[in-house]
Each structure stands twice: as structure tokens, then as C-alpha cells.
Amino acid sequence: MAAPAQAPNQPIIRVKDVEVVLNDRKILNKLTLDVKRGEVLGFVGGSGQGKTVLMRTIIGLLPKVSGIIEVFGVDLDKASEQERHAVERRWGVLFQQGALFSSLTCIQNVQFPMREYLNLSPRLMDEIAIAKLEMVGLKADVRDKYPAELSGGMIKRVALARALALDPEIVFLDEPTSGLDPIGAGDFDELIRTLQQTLGLTVYMVTHDLDSLHAICDRIAVLSDGKVIVEGNMDVMLACDHPWVKEYFRGKRSRAAGMAHHRANDLVAS
Amino acid sequence: MSEALLTTVARGDRLELAAAGAWTVDCASDLETLVDAAVAQAKSVKSVAINMANVERLDTFGAWLLERLVRDFSTDGRGIDVVGLPPRYNDLVHEAQQSNRKQPEAPSEDIVDTAAMLLRRAGRMFLRDITLTVQLFGQLVMAILRIARNPRTFRFTSMVHHLDRVGWRAVPIVLLITFLIGCIIAQQSLFHFRKFGADVYVVDMVGILVLREIGVLIVAVMIAGRSGSSYTAELGSMKMREEIDALQTMGLDPVEVLILPRILALVIALPALSFLGSMAALYGGGMVCWLYGGMSPEIFLSRLQEAISLDHFEVGISKAPFMALIIGIIASVEGLAVKGSAESLGLQTTASVVKSIFLVIVLDGIFAMFFAAIGK
Ligand SMILES: Nc1ncnc2c1ncn2[C@@H]1O[C@H](COP(=O)(O)OP(=O)(O)O)[C@@H](O)[C@H]1O
Ligand SMILES: [Mg+2]
């Protein structure tokens, strides 16, 4: 597929001065954010601040009042239908509630995008779908289960497998590890890291999970009052003086997470 | 795609494969053909080597096809060497090696349904329906008894809300449709009775038919389609999202909180709507008699007064609450039977409408026999 010409060091997602109004309330106020190719961006902010709204606006599910959003250098507002499709095929989305198709089995859910976009033999589709399910840490015998028969964590995993079905270049993850047990969440982080390194994936991750932020995020952006108030790596977060950021990254819980992370690093080093 | 993704060179007992280009999702289909061809070609050779050095990009599709190639070659103990794989893909290939290890069990054979099995299944479903319906009826009675003892627990607001939805808001469409039905009955009777010179009996026909049967039946069928279906869909999606379970764990009875107000609203609304519908149908009949049959409204009214008695009206309207009860109970039973999927919501909503219309008609038949027996 012909990738639109884009210089390698251009941001893969560019959000500039975006305003979103829902029910007469301004949720995002001149928000600007760049995501670089190949990085893992962690997006944090209090509940109801509009993290999901921003993600849905970027992928074109919510209208914006003003501003520019470019993904792969394509402005989706101006793109033709074909260009849009080409872009949509190159990203994968994991919704907060999973959003699996309830009348399809797990394996059919994962195969759905393949069926739509690729022309593969049934055998290869089965094998790839199973491989994806196993990659996200599920056993092959979930293949014929329906979403209603799965636990919350399993739904998240199947949804991730579906988001990764076409080996996308960007994945959008909305709170991927919420609802997972800590070990499962750790596996999830590791998986995302592996995929990001081997496939050169760009990861846009909304999260509340301090462990994920410590373990896999290259850069963190904090949303408050409709704007990104600070972005940078963990050191920048720890140095920030904004009260919410301070409480979030230097509060009691975060110290525990940070310490655990350092301990893990020490173990690896020794 | 100019370069070959996979080229094969046979050297005596040894087959040498060279991979090149982008082993990615976009070429997966071509790549699969090449891999399968290579495997078929290699039946006779002793050993195989594959050089991955020229692969520019590899993703999970490519990694899996490589793994499939390796597995297919090594089934009968032959060796395969993979050389030159760029180290950055090691993790990915490792992931692929782990996957598809367990053979999926063959899916259970589709058993062809014999007639006996179909009958047995239908019988079981029928029994299940009866049990659930009776059970829900019992729960309703229990809830009413509880409320009779402690009237303040009754969800009055909720009932009024549903009364507004299934009663008040249904008035325009009910009036329109029953009016049209009244017109049609009058027109047809006029047309055919005229041949016998029995024009005046059109009024008997319209009056008795509308008051005894058509008024209540048409309205009940409409309400089954309009409100029964929405009850099923609402309860079903609440069931899907575990809202009903949440109620239960808070110590509230879903029947009392959700179902009783809905069914009571129907039981109140349906007789009222039937009455309005019957009046609209008589009005429609009168209009047609006047405009099409040339019978003045005074004659129509006086004839109507002779033809019908309060009995006819009572027979018709007394059926309405029972039909409402049937519609409400079926809608609730089907709503609670919804499983997790959107498809099942659709299925149960259809079942709810079909079953309640069917039962409304059956009930009407039973009432007809009953009233004939008591001579009303
Ligand atoms: N479809 C919608 N219509 C109106 N308001 C919405 C909608 N979706 C979200 N909101 C509002 O936008 C705000 C941000 O929501 P959201 O992005 O979901 O928060 P979070 O940061 O927790 O993901 C909330 O105040 C919410 O009430
Ligand atoms: Mg959210």
C-alpha cells in the first residue's frame, strides 16, 4: 500500500489547537499534541477530563469545532474517502469497553478486519488469528467463545488482538490495563513493548496505570482543563510543579510503583 | 512488487530458498502461495536452507509464514536452517514459534436434525416458555401482595412515566389506524350488503364487529408491536449490561422495580386505547356511510342505538386488560431471556412480538367461546 509521502522525523500524529464542544460544554480547549513515530506515548489526566474524547476526535469519531488533526501526514477532514480508508487500515483501536462484536466469536472478531481488507486463505486467517490471540496471552481454546462468555480482562485482550489484526502502524489504547490483574497488566505492558520494538509500532495509550507509565512509556502527556499542561519523560513529570501532576506522580501510590520499578531494574541489572 | 519474495534453487539433495522484500501483511496472500509451492517442491530433498538476510520488513504475517514453512519442512525429521535473519526480528519470530502449537480439536460435527429431534426441541422450548410465563405471573402476584401490605414501595412515578409512553403517546397512531379500519369495514359491508338491499344492516355490522372484536383486537396487536417490543428491548439491554443483576444485589426485586410498573401501565392503557380506538372506528364507519352510502348521520346514530347494547361494549373492553397482561408478561419474559449478544436481543424482541400477537388472537378466540357459552 502506498504510504503518503512523509518525512521520517515528522510527527505521526499532529494535533494542533483542537477545540471540541459536547453538549455546549468545551471539553478540549486549543489542545496541541504531537506523537512521534515509534514512540509509546502515555496520556494521563483525571477522570472525565477528556482523554477518551481526544482519542475519539483523533480517530474521527467526534467532530471538532476548530483546529487541525493529521495522522500519517493526512488531514482527515480534507482526505478523500480512499485516503481515509488507507489511513484507517493502518491504525488499530482498543476501546475502553473492548467494543467486541457480540454476535461474533473471538476468532471471528480478530478475523473481521482481515476479511474486510485482505484476501487471505481461510487457513492463513485462522492461523494468524490464533497467533494474535496467543500473543496477547490467551489460550487457543477461547477461539469459539462469544464475548458474553469472557471475563473483563479477556475481553480487553481479544480487543487488543483485534486492534493488532492488520499489524497496524499506530495503536490507540484506551485504558488497556484497567480491569486486569497486576500480573496480567504487566504482561500486557511487556507485549506492547515487544510489538513496539519489533514492528516499530507507535502507541498512543490513555492510562491510569503508573506501572505502565514507568515501564513502557517513552513520553507522557498530562491533560487538564482541556489542555496538555505538561509533556515529557518521567523526569519531567517528577519535576513538574502543577498540583495534580505532583500528587499523581509523587503521591504515595506512585512512590510504591516507582520503587517497584527500580527494584525490577536492579534485579535485571544484577 | 518487482522483486521475488521467495526464490528457490535446488542443489542436489539440498533446497536453497532466498527470501527478499517486505514480508508483511500487504503481500501475505502472495507469500502464502509461494510458501506452499516451496513446501510442495521440497518433498524429495533432504535438507533445506532459507536465507532471510534480504528481507526488508517483517511483521507478524511474515513471521508466521516463515514459521509455517519451518514446521512444514521439519515434519518428517528433516532439518531446515534459517540464516541471516536480522536480529531485530528475533523476538517476533520467537512469538510466532510459540503460537498455533496445539492442534485445535475438530469442531463437533453438525448433527442433522431429525424430525423427532426438532419436535422434542420445540416441545422443550414450549414447556420452558410456559414455565417462565407462569413463574413471572407468580412473581407479579407476590410483588402486588407485598405492595398491598406496604403501598409506599410502589413505583408510582415509574408507572406514570410508562403510562405516558405506552398510553398517551400511542393515542394518535391508534386513532388513525382504527379510524381507517372503521372506514374499510363500512365500505366493504355497504358494497356487499347493497346487493341484497340490506343497506341498513351495515350499521349493525360495523357497530357489533368494532365494539366486540375489532376495536380491542387491532389495538392490542398494535400495542404488542409498539410497546411490547420496546419493553423487551429495554429489559434485554439492561440484562446484557448486568443492570438487572446490580438491582438484585442491592436487594431490590427487578420484577417489582422494572416489570410491575410497566405491566400495570399497559393494563391501564390498553382498555383506554381500545375505547378510543372503537370510537374512532365507529366515527370512520359513520363517515363512510354518510359520504359513500348516502346515509345521514342521524339515521346512522339512531340505527346504531338500536343495533348495539352495552353488552357488546362490555364484551369488547373486558378483554383488554387480559390482553395487556399477556403482552406485558411475554415482553418481560423475552426481555429477561436475552443473552450477551446484540443478535440475541434482536431474536428475543422478534419472539416477543410474534408470541404476544399470537397469544392475543388465541385469547380472543377463547373469550369468543366463553361469551357464546354464557350467552352474551
Ligand atoms: N458523547 C458525549 N456527549 C456529551 N458529553 C460527553 C460525551 N462523551 C464524553 N462527554 C463528557 O466529556 C468529558 C470527558 O469525558 P471522557 O473523555 O470520557 O473522560 P476521560 O478523561 O475519563 O476518558 C466528561 O465530562 C463527559 O461527561
Ligand atoms: Mg475514558
Side-chain angles (χ1 to χ4, degrees):
Chain A
M1 186 147 305
Q6 196 193 6
N9 52 359
Q10 281 280 313
I12 195 166
I13 304 173
R14 212 163 73 87
V15 179
K16 191 153 188 310
D17 293 335
V18 163
E19 291 191 309
V20 174
V21 175
L22 292 172
N23 285 349
D24 296 331
R25 233 185 80 212
K26 195 172 270 184
I27 311 278
L28 302 180
N29 184 11
K30 295 241 179 269
L31 184 144
T32 297
L33 177 72
D34 283 347
V35 183
K36 297 194 207 85
R37 189 176 281 276
E39 75 174 346
V40 180
L41 177 86
F43 200 68
V44 296
S47 272
Q49 288 288 345
K51 304 180 294 295
T52 303
V53 168
L54 176 62
M55 192 179 110
R56 294 174 71 92
T57 312
I58 295 176
I59 56 186
L61 291 174
L62 284 176
K64 54 187 185 296
V65 179
S66 67
I68 301 174
I69 292 177
E70 284 178 11
V71 184
F72 304 115
V74 178
D75 184 342
L76 290 176
D77 285 341
K78 301 201 183 100
S80 68
E81 194 163 337
Q82 269 158 349
E83 283 173 318
R84 254 198 90 86
H85 271 289
V87 168
E88 279 164 358
R89 188 195 161 305
R90 291 163 70 198
W91 72 36
V93 183
L94 168 61
F95 288 95
Q96 201 163 1
Q97 317 288 346
L100 293 179
F101 303 122
S102 57
S103 46
L104 301 181
T105 60
C106 289
I107 193 166
Q108 288 168 337
N109 262 289
V110 178
Q111 287 173 345
F112 189 85
M114 298 183 206
R115 263 181 227 284
E116 291 302 308
Y117 283 104
L118 307 175
N119 181 19
L120 300 181
S121 69
R123 175 180 164 202
L124 185 59
M125 276 207 290
D126 277 355
E127 287 169 347
I128 295 276
I130 296 274
K132 301 264 175 192
L133 286 172
E134 287 176 336
M135 268 188 190
V136 298
L138 291 165
K139 296 223 174 62
D141 45 12
V142 299
R143 54 176 288 167
D144 293 322
K145 289 215 168 87
Y146 285 92
E149 302 164 335
L150 302 178
S151 74
M154 287 159 92
I155 287 177
K156 279 268 163 79
R157 284 164 192 266
V158 178
L160 180 67
R162 186 180 68 180
L164 295 172
L166 296 176
D167 275 335
E169 290 164 55
I170 307 179
V171 279
F172 292 92
L173 309 174
D174 198 349
E175 307 205 5
T177 51
S178 70
L180 295 188
D181 60 284
I183 297 174
D187 289 350
F188 222 85
D189 288 343
E190 207 166 287
L191 167 75
I192 289 168
R193 197 46 156 174
T194 306
L195 292 171
Q196 186 259 339
Q197 281 167 349
T198 52
L199 302 176
L201 203 62
T202 307
V203 181
Y204 177 102
M205 177 162 70
V206 175
T207 185
H208 278 303
D209 188 340
L210 281 158
D211 288 324
S212 304
L213 289 170
H214 276 284
I216 62 169
C217 291
D218 299 315
R219 222 153 53 86
I220 298 168
V222 181
L223 177 73
S224 182
D225 300 323
K227 280 190 198 289
V228 174
I229 49 170
V230 46
E231 54 180 296
N233 60 15
M234 192 47 94
D235 297 334
V236 177
M237 296 300 127
L238 292 174
C240 178
D241 269 338
H242 188 281
W244 190 86
V245 180
K246 219 159 135 182
E247 174 58 30
Y248 191 84
F249 288 98
R250 284 184 271 173
K252 211 187 275 163
R253 277 168 49 79
S254 58
R255 276 202 300 278
M259 256 148 62
H261 184 67
H262 285 303
R263 217 175 299 132
N265 276 358
D266 292 346
L267 279 178
V268 172
S270 63
Chain B
M1 228 179 314
S2 54
E3 59 202 313
L5 290 165
L6 188 67
T7 43
T8 45
V9 182
R11 281 202 184 144
D13 278 354
R14 190 171 168 80
L15 190 71
E16 290 185 357
L17 307 175
W23 276 43
T24 55
V25 49
D26 297 316
C27 312
S29 187
D30 300 332
L31 202 52
E32 188 190 17
T33 323
L34 289 171
V35 164
D36 286 348
V39 171
Q41 198 187 347
K43 283 274 180 286
S44 54
V45 299
K46 291 239 168 57
S47 70
V48 182
I50 175 164
N51 185 349
M52 298 293 289
N54 289 328
V55 169
E56 286 156 17
R57 277 187 297 137
L58 188 74
D59 65 6
T60 34
F61 287 78
W64 167 248
L65 283 168
L66 174 65
E67 173 63 16
R68 184 155 124 188
L69 190 70
V70 170
R71 278 192 208 170
D72 285 351
F73 275 127
S74 42
T75 38
D76 31 353
R78 289 176 306 183
I80 171 166
D81 302 320
V82 179
V83 293
L85 183 75
R88 64 179 184 280
Y89 296 129
N90 279 343
D91 282 350
L92 192 60
V93 171
H94 185 72
E95 288 279 355
Q97 282 165 356
Q98 309 290 314
S99 60
N100 282 295
R101 277 291 170 201
K102 227 170 62 184
Q103 281 303 317
E105 314 103 72
S108 58
E109 293 279 309
D110 270 355
I111 305 161
V112 183
D113 288 347
T114 61
M117 280 181 59
L118 278 178
L119 269 179
R120 214 175 306 143
R121 186 163 339 130
R124 251 206 320 272
M125 298 289 276
F126 181 66
L127 277 184
R128 184 204 73 133
D129 279 354
I130 300 235
T131 326
L132 288 178
T133 310
V134 172
Q135 197 180 341
L136 186 65
F137 185 72
Q139 285 173 317
L140 273 177
V141 172
M142 293 298 289
I144 291 175
L145 290 180
R146 268 201 308 276
I147 283 169
R149 243 180 287 139
N150 192 359
R152 289 181 48 193
T153 57
F154 180 58
R155 318 264 148 182
F156 190 73
T157 328
S158 164
M159 194 196 74
V160 172
H161 169 73
H162 290 295
L163 199 52
D164 174 55
R165 279 192 345 159
V166 303
W168 182 237
R169 284 168 202 236
V171 168
I173 187 70
V174 163
L175 288 184
L176 177 67
I177 288 188
T178 46
F179 173 79
L180 291 177
I181 297 276
C183 293
I184 293 166
I185 295 174
Q187 189 271 338
Q188 285 293 306
S189 334
L190 271 171
F191 186 74
H192 291 282
F193 283 12
R194 200 170 271 167
K195 292 179 194 154
F196 312 105
D199 292 25
V200 281
Y201 289 107
V202 168
V203 183
D204 299 53
M205 173 87 175
V206 171
I208 293 175
L209 198 57
V210 163
L211 288 181
R212 282 187 83 106
E213 296 291 334
I214 296 294
V216 64
L217 197 59
I218 291 286
V219 173
V221 167
M222 279 176 60
I223 293 302
R226 187 183 177 278
S227 309
S229 62
S230 82
Y231 281 4
T232 306
E234 285 162 18
L235 292 171
S237 57
M238 286 188 205
K239 177 84 190 296
M240 257 160 88
R241 296 193 211 162
E242 299 174 326
E243 291 174 41
I244 289 180
D245 300 337
L247 269 181
Q248 217 145 18
T249 52
M250 291 175 207
L252 296 168
D253 178 12
V255 173
E256 192 180 314
V257 177
L258 299 173
I259 296 178
L260 186 65
R262 283 183 166 77
I263 291 186
L264 276 184
L266 263 191
V267 170
I268 295 171
L270 194 57
L273 288 173
S274 301
F275 173 73
L276 293 176
S278 303
M279 294 306 118
L282 290 182
Y283 190 76
M287 293 274 285
V288 168
C289 285
W290 183 29
L291 299 175
Y292 175 79
M295 182 189 289
S296 74
E298 292 82 44
I299 299 184
F300 181 84
L301 279 179
S302 65
R303 180 72 203 150
L304 193 62
Q305 216 164 17
E306 286 167 36
I308 62 176
S309 68
L310 201 58
D311 268 1
H312 296 304
F313 177 70
E314 279 172 6
V315 164
I317 215 79
S318 63
K319 293 189 277 195
F322 295 97
M323 290 180 175
L325 195 62
I326 287 273
I327 296 171
I329 289 181
I330 297 290
S332 308
V333 166
E334 295 297 332
L336 294 181
V338 167
K339 306 261 174 8
S341 74
E343 194 184 354
S344 114
L345 183 61
L347 280 177
Q348 302 297 344
T349 309
T350 309
S352 156
V353 175
V354 171
K355 282 181 194 164
S356 50
I357 291 181
F358 171 71
L359 285 176
V360 159
I361 292 173
V362 169
L363 189 69
D364 194 56
I366 295 174
F367 268 113
M369 290 192 283
F370 169 72
F371 286 122
I374 64 171
K376 249 192 168 176

